[in-house]
Amino acid sequence: MGGKLSLSWKTPVQKESEDKQILPRQLDDEDEIRDYASISDSAMSCVGTACRSYVNCPTCQGTGRIPGEQEKQLVALIPYGDQRLKPRRTKLYVCLAVTTCLLTTSLSIFFLFPRSITVLPAGLNASSVGFNATTTSIYLNMTNVLNITNNNFYPVAVVQLDIEVLHQSLVVGKSTMKALLNMSPLQSGQIFYMVVSRIVDDNTYNICTWTKVKVHNVLLHIQGTLTCTYLCHSEQLAFEDYQYVDCRGNATLPRPSYHRLP
């Protein structure tokens, strides 16, 4: 018992020395905390004196701050493995776009490319003949047929037809017709036109009136110009034909066949 009491019992002088060793350490920690708080408070006050507004930094999850005027200069970083950075079927879309453009252009050129309009004289359809013995002249009224073929993929309108009839290099008749025909794409049509001719020639008059002559034909050279419009464009097509017309007397006989000289 004497040993135990000697260990737990201490003199007042020893207790004071122990208290002096413990209290300074506690005071030192409190002083450090107080000093840190004073430093942080002074930093806050310095920042406050700068008169600048601050916002929480999104990239730091609110732990950092930047000047308010730099808020719109923030840049969002995307991870390299993000799916938004990986193209999805870009090559397929580019190929489809290029193919569509090429196909559309090719079809437009194919369908809108101007093709020829075929004009083919079909010969004499009917004729009537008159004579004037005083002037030895022949009045010849002819109705001819003109075949027209539209080889385009758009409609064509025939707006005017100009005809000249020549006999022995002399113009004996003229005719002009307007607003004749509207043709659909890849369609054909016919135009019937009439020309009144007056031939003043003694030899021709004798050939047509003599009964001893078995063949009463007059060779006429027909020249024409056909004006067509399509796609806000006007085009003139020239044609010519040679016809043998029976001038023995009045006749209204269809003659689909005709003789054409080279």
Side-chain angles (χ1 to χ4, degrees):
M1 290 204 44
K4 292 181 179 180
L5 290 174
S6 63
L7 292 175
S8 62
W9 181 83
K10 293 182 180 179
T11 62
V13 178
Q14 293 177 349
K15 288 183 179 180
E16 290 178 1
S17 62
E18 290 179 357
D19 293 338
K20 290 180 180 179
Q21 293 177 357
I22 294 173
L23 289 175
R25 293 181 181 176
Q26 293 177 353
L27 292 174
D28 291 340
D29 294 339
E30 291 177 357
D31 293 339
E32 289 179 0
I33 294 172
R34 189 180 299 110
D35 294 338
Y36 178 78
S38 63
I39 292 172
S40 61
D41 292 340
S42 63
M44 292 291 292
S45 63
C46 291
V47 173
T49 56
C51 299
R52 302 174 67 182
S53 60
Y54 291 89
V55 295
N56 292 332
C57 181
T59 58
C60 301
Q61 298 180 354
T63 59
R65 294 179 298 177
I66 61 173
E69 57 270 13
Q70 297 181 3
E71 180 180 2
K72 296 183 179 180
Q73 299 179 3
L74 294 175
V75 178
L77 300 178
I78 302 176
Y80 180 77
D82 196 290
Q83 294 295 330
R84 290 174 291 179
L85 298 178
K86 296 181 179 180
R88 296 182 179 180
R89 301 179 180 178
T90 304
K91 294 182 179 180
L92 178 61
Y93 294 150
V94 172
C95 293
L96 287 177
V98 173
T99 303
T100 303
C101 293
L102 292 177
L103 182 61
T104 303
T105 304
S106 301
L107 291 177
S108 300
I109 294 175
F110 177 78
F111 287 105
L112 298 179
F113 186 79
R115 293 171 174 80
S116 62
I117 300 174
T118 305
V119 181
L120 182 63
L124 181 67
N125 183 67
S127 65
S128 61
V129 182
F131 300 98
N132 188 342
T134 305
T135 58
T136 62
S137 58
I138 304 171
Y139 295 93
L140 183 61
N141 298 331
M142 297 182 301
T143 301
N144 295 339
V145 182
L146 195 64
N147 291 333
I148 305 173
T149 303
N150 180 18
N151 298 315
N152 297 284
F153 288 91
Y154 41 82
V156 173
V158 180
V159 296
Q160 185 172 335
L161 175 63
D162 298 317
I163 298 294
E164 284 187 351
V165 179
L166 291 84
H167 175 66
Q168 296 180 359
S169 302
L170 297 176
V171 178
V172 297
K174 290 184 178 181
S175 177
T176 299
M177 301 175 63
K178 295 184 178 181
L180 303 175
L181 183 65
N182 292 321
M183 292 185 296
S184 301
L186 303 177
Q187 296 294 325
S188 299
Q190 283 187 335
I191 295 178
F192 293 83
Y193 63 93
M194 185 179 67
V195 183
V196 179
S197 304
R198 181 174 180 266
I199 303 174
V200 182
D201 183 69
D202 293 339
N203 293 329
T204 305
Y205 181 83
N206 293 332
I207 291 175
C208 294
T209 56
W210 283 358
T211 57
K212 295 181 180 180
V213 179
K214 295 182 179 180
V215 179
H216 306 85
N217 290 334
V218 177
L219 178 61
L220 300 177
H221 181 199
I222 299 176
Q223 295 179 344
T225 301
L226 194 69
T227 304
C228 302
T229 59
Y230 54 89
L231 297 179
C232 301
H233 173 73
S234 179
E235 181 179 357
Q236 289 186 342
L237 305 174
F239 65 92
E240 63 178 1
D241 187 29
Y242 291 88
Q243 290 183 354
Y244 282 98
V245 181
D246 187 1
C247 61
R248 176 66 181 86
N250 293 332
T252 307
L253 301 175
R255 297 186 57 184
S257 60
Y258 64 97
H259 181 70
R260 184 173 183 177
L261 299 178

